[in-house]
Amino acid sequence: MQKFVENLLSDNIVYAPMKKEAKVFVSPINNFAEIDWTSELPANSFKSVFLPPEEILWKNAGKKFKTAFASKKTIALAMNVLDLQAFTLFEHVFEKDIYYQRRRQNTFVVGFTAGLPDDFRKYKIFHADYEENVLEHLIFDIFIEKQKNGNFIFFSGSEKGQKLLEENNVKDYEHIEFAGLVPESGMNPRLIANRKAVELSFNDKLWDELAEICLACGKCSVVCPTCFCFNLEDDPQLNGVERKRQWTSCFYPEFSKICGNKKELAEVKKKLYFWYYHKFVRIPEELSYYGCVSCMRCFNVCPVGINIAANLQRLAKNQQK
Amino acid sequence: MKNNYAYELARVIKVVRENPITNTLHLKLANQKRFQFLPGQFVQIGIPGFGECPIAISSAPQDAGKFICLTIRGVGELTKKLLTLKAGDIAFVHGPYGNGYPAVEKNLILIAGGCGFIPLVSVYENNKNRKDIKIQILMGCRNENLLLFRKKMQQAQMKHDLNLILEETLSKSFAAQKGLITDLLKKNKLLANATVFVCGPPAMYPAVVKKLLELKVAPADIYLTLEKRMHCGVGICQHCAVGTKYVCKDGPIFSYEYLRTLSEYQY
């Protein structure tokens, strides 16, 4: 295992969970010893590996446009199952996005689990069942499972992954074919229930109460592994103009601004509803898939302690009344 | 894989001044001969350094092989810059995007408020010579100075039932009433068995839709054009989301049958 990872480190940029002070963060790493193999959920996600906070789409001077695609070989190592779910969503959302796809061609995705962490319950899995066949519905190149006896089991999820394993003399692995986003048994009932709870809830008092305390700072969407809203912005340089794609947040004031300075999402209540609606209604409608992987990172960073799981439960309860 | 963020170069072949703050650019695209669009669709036009914005095509689809027209009112940094383009200049566009208006199978009522006439003029041009349907136009504008497509309006007034209402002053060149667009709906008998296309400022929609519903127009026969902030044009960036759909990809034209299922459009 150590040799495998050291081989990967030799000619790739590798991002992996790393213990820093009391928390685990996804960071670029240089040696095997830095990697945290406890399966503790990192405070940040792997999002920026696949969708950088800022990327240049093209440079322009006069009539000429120069398009630059990312080409550095990258490995997302030891991705937990929840971040793999978010990545699987991105694979579908950015299916036809040439910048994402070119980057993806140069990226290996290596999932990892050491079994469920003891405190897994604290993440209040309010929609995702940790099923036996969970890997069939995730996209990855390689997945590594650490068993209780300390042994590692390898899985491949793509031809690319198989090749990488073979090249590194890992011969004993099982291949798992991606079986689509929706399990054979149908959409997860909790996905349907959550959608129902949010869809027609705009007049629920909850949104007014949250709007009273929410600072609309947008930290939740920055840290969220499934938030992918972006802006296209022009950045004039001395020798031309760069068009950049940058992360944004539906909580930021410019998000819905149109001519005449009108903003559809002017009130915090509408921003909150828009954020939940995207995760629990729009994404399930488009892809029959999770828009929220219940990692609870938004709750962990929220300065006023807005708890997405508790809010979902309350909306569901109010809806039954 | 197509790069959705790459521009095509377009040549400005003619500029028509519609009013002191609005120009119509006649553009010839690099692939003009193969270019096709539906009335109601739009393109993204940009100037590097100023960003880009969605603008509805205002010319007739029949002319798509020769040129397209973009009618632009200078209200922001980019649109004001676009007003400085002259014949011979280069413009940067990509598209077309959006769903466009559905095919017209019944009588047609066009309700336009101000700039809202821009996408509707393409619908009008596409249907004006049909003998199998009647066309009625209800148009509201702040004052005469802000009118668009005067020549086309004069022709339309002779051929079809065009009703103009101005908010501030009366017109010297057109028969017009004074008031708001909803006053036209009160005063005029609407064509029966008609599809209604409405385009105008958002503030106009609740009043117009309420009135149309009162007049027993079915929600499925009312189509509204929505305006939202837009970045990507292909339904990813989320700025223009409306319910579970996107203005850029599934719109900008939505039937009221769909919109009325969303809390923000229940008039």
Side-chain angles (χ1 to χ4, degrees):
Chain A
M1 174 70 181
Q2 183 164 350
K3 213 179 142 207
F4 173 64
V5 172
E6 276 163 359
N7 281 349
L8 297 184
L9 280 164
S10 63
D11 62 342
N12 297 291
I13 302 169
V14 179
Y15 292 86
M18 184 179 175
K19 196 109 186 167
K20 275 187 203 162
E21 292 163 13
K23 281 183 177 174
V24 175
F25 290 91
V26 176
S27 327
I29 55 142
N30 299 308
N31 59 64
F32 183 79
E34 286 178 323
I35 305 168
D36 179 274
W37 296 103
T38 61
S39 258
E40 183 182 329
L41 196 72
N44 59 341
S45 74
F46 282 80
K47 175 164 73 171
S48 57
V49 177
F50 304 100
L51 188 69
E54 179 173 292
E55 67 181 310
I56 297 168
L57 300 183
W58 44 250
K59 287 181 187 180
N60 157 266
K63 288 187 207 170
K64 288 206 175 104
F65 287 84
K66 208 175 146 196
T67 308
F69 296 109
S71 60
K72 287 177 196 157
K73 276 174 78 185
T74 306
I75 299 196
L77 183 63
M79 271 178 82
N80 59 79
V81 169
L82 299 184
D83 284 341
L84 274 180
Q85 278 187 335
F87 164 71
T88 302
L89 171 72
F90 274 34
E91 285 283 278
H92 286 79
V93 171
F94 292 96
E95 197 181 4
K96 291 176 186 161
D97 188 285
I98 194 163
Y99 295 90
Y100 177 94
Q101 291 300 338
R102 291 286 177 93
R103 191 163 37 246
R104 173 70 179 104
Q105 277 171 14
N106 289 308
T107 309
F108 282 96
V109 174
V110 183
F112 175 76
T113 183
L116 292 179
D118 294 341
D119 60 351
F120 202 59
R121 289 263 158 233
K122 100 173 176 204
Y123 297 118
K124 291 192 183 124
I125 298 305
F126 53 89
H127 67 242
D129 290 325
Y130 195 86
E131 303 137 344
E132 294 230 321
N133 62 357
V134 67
L135 292 184
E136 280 177 26
H137 303 290
L138 291 176
I139 296 177
F140 55 86
D141 295 309
I142 294 169
F143 193 87
I144 305 168
E145 188 184 331
K146 189 182 178 186
Q147 293 188 305
K148 288 213 171 95
N149 58 14
N151 287 347
F152 291 100
I153 312 178
F154 288 83
F155 300 90
S156 68
S158 70
E159 225 172 279
K160 213 165 111 179
Q162 274 175 325
K163 219 177 133 204
L164 189 68
L165 286 171
E166 298 276 350
E167 279 169 7
N168 285 282
N169 282 319
V170 181
K171 306 283 182 201
D172 191 13
Y173 62 85
E174 188 188 328
H175 183 71
I176 294 189
E177 198 66 41
F178 179 62
L181 294 174
V182 187
E184 255 177 55
S185 52
M187 238 160 97
N188 187 324
R190 283 195 193 148
L191 200 79
I192 298 164
N194 281 337
R195 177 182 173 155
K196 238 177 116 190
V198 174
E199 194 160 15
L200 297 172
S201 70
F202 185 70
N203 295 321
D204 195 292
K205 273 194 189 128
L206 173 78
W207 304 113
D208 297 302
E209 287 170 31
L210 293 179
E212 288 275 311
I213 57 167
C214 173
L215 308 171
C217 65
K219 281 177 91 172
C220 49
S221 65
V222 173
V223 81
C224 174
T226 68
C227 270
F228 55 79
C229 294
F230 58 79
N231 283 343
L232 302 177
E233 299 291 348
D234 284 8
D235 189 358
Q237 307 278 328
L238 278 176
N239 56 356
V241 174
E242 289 176 353
R243 178 152 297 169
K244 291 175 172 172
R245 170 154 70 185
Q246 297 165 330
W247 287 4
T248 187
S249 162
C250 51
F251 288 95
Y252 294 165
E254 307 278 291
F255 187 85
S256 62
K257 195 176 102 177
I258 56 167
C259 75
N261 212 9
K262 287 188 211 85
K263 289 170 194 163
E264 170 134 348
L265 305 178
E267 302 144 46
V268 178
K269 178 182 169 179
K270 284 187 181 167
K271 294 177 199 225
L272 284 158
Y273 181 68
F274 187 90
W275 197 70
Y276 278 71
Y277 196 96
H278 184 209
K279 302 198 176 307
F280 297 105
V281 185
R282 199 176 309 125
I283 290 174
E285 165 72 22
E286 285 178 282
L287 297 166
S288 304
Y289 198 63
Y290 309 109
C292 167
V293 297
S294 72
C295 65
M296 298 304 282
R297 287 180 177 114
C298 52
F299 172 58
N300 294 338
V301 298
C302 181
V304 296
I306 293 177
N307 183 330
I308 191 167
N311 291 337
L312 256 283
Q313 281 160 4
R314 199 174 132 189
L315 287 175
K317 214 171 140 191
N318 288 357
Q319 204 222 356
Q320 280 161 9
K321 277 181 196 167
Chain B
M1 188 176 286
K2 193 179 165 235
N3 185 349
N4 175 57
Y5 304 107
Y7 280 128
E8 283 180 49
L9 300 187
R11 176 79 60 186
V12 180
I13 51 174
K14 191 173 146 192
V15 179
V16 176
R17 175 133 285 212
E18 300 287 348
N19 66 40
I21 52 167
T22 314
N23 282 358
T24 294
L25 306 178
H26 293 241
L27 299 178
K28 191 163 184 179
L29 309 173
N31 66 344
Q32 192 73 61
K33 277 186 186 155
R34 280 171 288 126
F35 190 84
Q36 289 181 326
F37 73 93
L38 295 167
Q41 282 193 300
F42 61 92
V43 296
Q44 295 266 28
I45 179 167
I47 295 178
F50 291 82
E52 62 182 18
C53 64
I55 301 284
I57 301 171
S58 57
S59 50
Q62 301 92 296
D63 294 330
K66 290 176 276 177
F67 63 89
I68 57 165
C69 288
L70 301 181
T71 303
I72 299 166
R73 179 183 279 193
V75 285
E77 223 176 294
L78 170 63
T79 47
K80 279 179 186 155
K81 182 78 185 165
L82 288 168
L83 291 195
T84 66
L85 290 178
K86 302 179 298 293
D89 287 348
I90 294 288
F92 304 96
V93 297
H94 54 111
Y97 295 112
N99 57 353
Y101 285 100
V104 179
E105 281 153 1
K106 304 185 196 180
N107 291 329
L108 179 61
I109 302 173
L110 304 176
I111 302 181
C115 280
F117 194 43
I118 292 169
L120 294 177
V121 83
S122 180
V123 180
Y124 178 73
E125 290 293 313
N126 201 27
N127 292 286
K128 68 179 181 186
N129 293 326
R130 284 174 62 171
K131 301 271 186 301
D132 56 330
I133 57 162
K134 284 184 190 150
I135 300 178
Q136 183 177 40
I137 304 172
L138 306 178
M139 192 192 293
C141 197
R142 190 172 306 154
N143 56 49
E144 184 176 8
N145 290 337
L146 291 175
L147 287 175
L148 302 164
F149 313 113
R150 284 156 192 263
K151 222 182 230 171
K152 288 197 174 100
M153 275 180 64
Q154 273 159 355
Q155 289 162 358
Q157 205 161 30
M158 295 199 292
K159 199 164 171 175
H160 294 107
D161 180 19
L162 186 147
N163 303 277
L164 177 66
I165 193 156
L166 297 170
E167 205 179 321
E168 289 169 358
T169 49
L170 287 177
S171 169
K172 286 171 197 140
S173 38
F174 293 98
Q177 304 171 41
K178 197 172 169 192
L180 294 169
I181 190 90
T182 37
D183 298 326
L184 279 185
L185 284 168
K186 283 175 203 154
K187 287 173 194 163
N188 289 271
K189 194 172 168 10
L190 292 186
L191 286 178
N193 187 30
T195 309
V196 188
F197 295 163
V198 190
C199 187
M204 181 183 114
Y205 288 167
V208 166
V209 171
K210 261 188 224 162
K211 194 74 206 159
L212 289 172
L213 295 174
E214 257 174 57
L215 295 167
K216 301 279 177 255
V217 181
D221 285 329
I222 304 172
Y223 290 86
L224 305 180
T225 302
L226 300 189
E227 183 194 8
K228 297 236 179 182
R229 189 182 187 88
M230 214 177 267
H231 283 254
C232 75
V234 286
I236 307 178
C237 76
Q238 301 299 315
H239 289 270
C240 72
V242 45
T244 57
K245 297 180 188 291
Y246 300 101
V247 174
C248 67
K249 197 177 83 177
D250 310 300
I253 294 127
F254 292 95
S255 79
Y256 191 63
E257 183 77 13
Y258 170 69
L259 291 178
R260 67 173 180 164
T261 64
L262 308 173
S263 49
E264 60 265 49
Y265 295 97
Q266 282 161 8
Y267 303 139

